[in-house]
Amino acid sequence: EKLTITITDIESDQGNIIVQYFNADGADKFPMRGAFGSSTYPASVGSVTFDVALDSGVYALSAYHDKNENKKFDMFLVMPREPYGFSNDAPSTIGPPKFDDAKFTIEQGVDKAISFKIRQPYPPFNTNKKRRLNRLFSYSVKRMLSLRNREKP
């Protein structure tokens, strides 16, 4: 069966959109591991639409905007650093969504079309904020070292 996928809210044509396909066999590992396949498409401002052939069954999709083209979903600790999204626009407020929130069904002999958004990582990685944090950290370390090196009376 043919699945037409539209991914929207793409803010840049830099890099690629990488889509991963999951079925019920990989449901417990969704969306970090367990994909049975993936596709790569050039990013385009606005949206990207493409077709894939899938057998009838239950599926879920994850996608991310690989701006730096390293073919990895970049994270800082547990926070995403690249835009991402899931089928059904499954919510990911604290941690990734569950397979059940992103799943959809393809029926035998019936073509299907789905659409979902790419979300910007939250909070956006801000260079000014990074500089402020580095200054604060640097000041804290210097202060701690100065207190430690003080001679005791």
Side-chain angles (χ1 to χ4, degrees):
E1 284 49 65
K2 180 174 85 171
L3 174 65
T4 301
I5 302 166
T6 301
I7 299 175
T8 64
D9 290 9
I10 301 169
E11 293 185 356
S12 163
D13 60 0
Q14 179 182 354
N16 296 305
I17 302 297
I18 298 180
V19 181
Q20 295 180 310
Y21 307 96
F22 296 83
N23 58 19
D25 294 337
D28 58 332
K29 299 172 192 155
F30 176 82
M32 304 313 263
R33 294 181 312 276
F36 68 84
S38 67
S39 301
T40 302
Y41 301 93
S44 176
V45 174
S47 66
V48 172
T49 300
F50 51 92
D51 295 328
V52 295
L54 293 173
D55 294 332
S56 59
V58 178
Y59 298 94
L61 306 179
S62 70
Y64 66 94
H65 188 169
D66 185 22
K67 289 183 177 182
N68 59 6
E69 298 185 53
N70 66 351
K71 297 184 174 106
K72 289 193 272 186
F73 182 53
D74 296 330
M75 309 256 305
F76 175 72
L77 300 176
V78 295
M79 299 293 292
R81 293 190 67 184
E82 294 183 302
Y84 61 95
F86 306 99
S87 48
N88 294 338
D89 285 320
S92 63
T93 48
I94 299 176
K98 304 288 184 210
F99 180 84
D100 286 344
D101 295 330
K103 74 180 180 181
F104 59 92
T105 302
I106 296 179
E107 297 176 14
Q108 188 168 355
V110 179
D111 293 342
K112 186 172 183 83
I114 64 168
S115 175
F116 60 95
K117 298 175 185 175
I118 284 284
R119 302 178 200 139
Q120 295 306 307
Y122 181 82
F125 197 72
N126 183 324
T127 305
N128 292 331
K129 185 184 251 183
K130 183 179 178 183
R131 282 190 200 122
R132 282 195 306 262
L133 287 172
N134 282 340
R135 274 193 301 238
L136 177 63
F137 178 74
S138 180
Y139 171 78
S140 299
V141 169
K142 287 177 186 174
R143 176 85 174 128
M144 189 173 62
L145 290 174
S146 71
L147 290 174
R148 182 196 285 171
N149 293 333
R150 243 189 216 167
E151 289 186 41
K152 296 183 182 177

